[in-house]
Amino acid sequence: MKMCGYNGSQFWDVAFTTRAILESDIGKLFTRTLQKSYNFIDQSQIMEEHPTHDQFFRHPMIGSWPFSTAEQGWPVADCTAEGLGAVLGLHQSGLVKRVIDDARIKSAVDVILSYQNPNGGWATYELTRAPEWLEKLNPSEIFADIMIDYSWTECSSACIQCLIEFQEMYPGYKNKEIHDAIRKGLEFIIAPQKQDGSWYGGWAVCFTYATWFGIESLCRARGKGYFNDQEMTDRIETACAFLAGKQKPDGGWGETFESCSKMVYTEADKSQVVNTAWALLGLMSAEYKDRSAVEKGIGLLVERQTELGDWMQENISGVFNYNCMITYSGYRNIFPIWALNRYYKLFMC
């Protein structure tokens, strides 16, 4: 017997692509593309409960966004955060015809707040609603930690960043509740950071990915009264030192999917454009002091770009439950574009 758990990663890819394009003013050259993205985001928001919501004790979903399509319809915490972040960015750009109103935006925020776990972090599809000993009943031979949902660095970082962006644009809505949620989220982000400065990633490969997310959330929050700024600065610097220490002689970064199952950074033979883009995004977010390291990485992305404008598919970049790998064919373009666009904004505008 076979089953299909998903019908793609459409919404996830669109949200990330939109954020990548909007990173600098170059995005203004692609208004038609952004309008199409906005239309898809509009159509994908879940605005009514599934008929089985009460029957199967599902988490409330009004205002959320799914991983793939509205028809598939599973709400996800970080998909909602990335989708809302894309909406806020598009509205702020003034490049699209606005149809997602404030009520829908606030409903998405309500969903994100409802997904926060008691430990301050965010999981994926639901709250952590049962004890860990249930994992002893796990019937799977390859998937670990599937019986309950757990808080993750990447999911938590996405929710923190989105809430910060929202609070800056809508300071009058649930201000204290959102402020407290961000503070608790930052406490969660800091707790699992490893001594070498890295974070383990549960949804992509692996330490490079989660370390970018960890840095991004701390940089977004620093100086805004959510948490101790000096501690965040120290954590950011340690994370940057980790990333810089993994840079290869050609200027790139390369991490193999084995990091996910071994839970130890495992270096790939060759640099990968996706890993390189993640590392560069983290370093640039932190305004890393060694600009030459950033420039070498940017040079590798430029060198690897094909004549058509895209990048070749390289190693596996996605994962879930430690052992199941995902190709994410869109990542090879989304993240190099994002990194190049950030470099352009910081150093060339």
Side-chain angles (χ1 to χ4, degrees), residues 53 187 284 326:
H53 171 258
E187 290 175 355
M284 286 188 286
I326 313 172

Side-chain angles (χ1 to χ4, degrees), residues 46-211:
I46 300 170
M47 296 310 299
E48 58 182 37
E49 296 289 1
H50 193 274
T52 63
H53 171 258
D54 292 330
Q55 181 182 357
F56 294 111
F57 304 99
R58 294 300 301 270
H59 194 84
M61 59 182 65
I62 299 297
S64 67
W65 274 280
F67 182 67
S68 57
T69 63
E71 289 75 22
Q72 196 276 342
W74 289 356
V76 192
D78 59 341
C79 294
T80 301
E82 297 294 352
L84 181 54
V87 169
L88 295 176
L90 286 164
H91 284 183
Q92 205 164 28
S93 75
L95 299 173
V96 297
K97 182 179 179 181
R98 179 170 176 167
V99 295
I100 300 174
D101 61 21
D102 287 353
R104 290 173 61 183
I105 289 171
K106 290 175 182 177
S107 68
V109 170
D110 291 343
V111 168
I112 293 169
L113 291 173
S114 74
Y115 266 103
Q116 189 171 27
N117 280 315
N119 67 0
W122 279 265
T124 54
Y125 298 98
E126 62 183 9
L127 296 162
T128 303
R129 301 192 296 183
E132 290 187 33
W133 63 258
L134 282 175
E135 296 298 348
K136 294 184 180 296
L137 304 179
N138 182 352
S140 169
E141 295 182 355
I142 63 168
F143 300 138
D145 295 351
I146 63 171
M147 299 299 288
I148 62 175
D149 215 342
Y150 300 86
S151 297
W152 294 94
T153 297
E154 309 98 290
C155 300
S156 302
S157 173
C159 292
I160 289 168
Q161 292 179 60
C162 176
L163 290 175
I164 291 173
E165 292 170 13
F166 173 82
Q167 194 167 53
E168 290 171 350
M169 295 177 67
Y170 296 83
Y173 186 74
K174 294 188 176 181
N175 184 61
K176 186 180 185 305
E177 186 177 348
I178 292 173
H179 187 280
D180 290 346
I182 293 168
R183 179 182 53 78
K184 291 176 183 176
L186 292 168
E187 290 175 355
F188 171 80
I189 290 286
I190 284 173
Q193 187 180 20
K194 296 184 179 298
Q195 192 170 1
D196 64 4
S198 67
W199 281 269
Y200 175 82
W203 299 99
V205 180
C206 169
F207 291 92
T208 315
Y209 182 70
T211 301

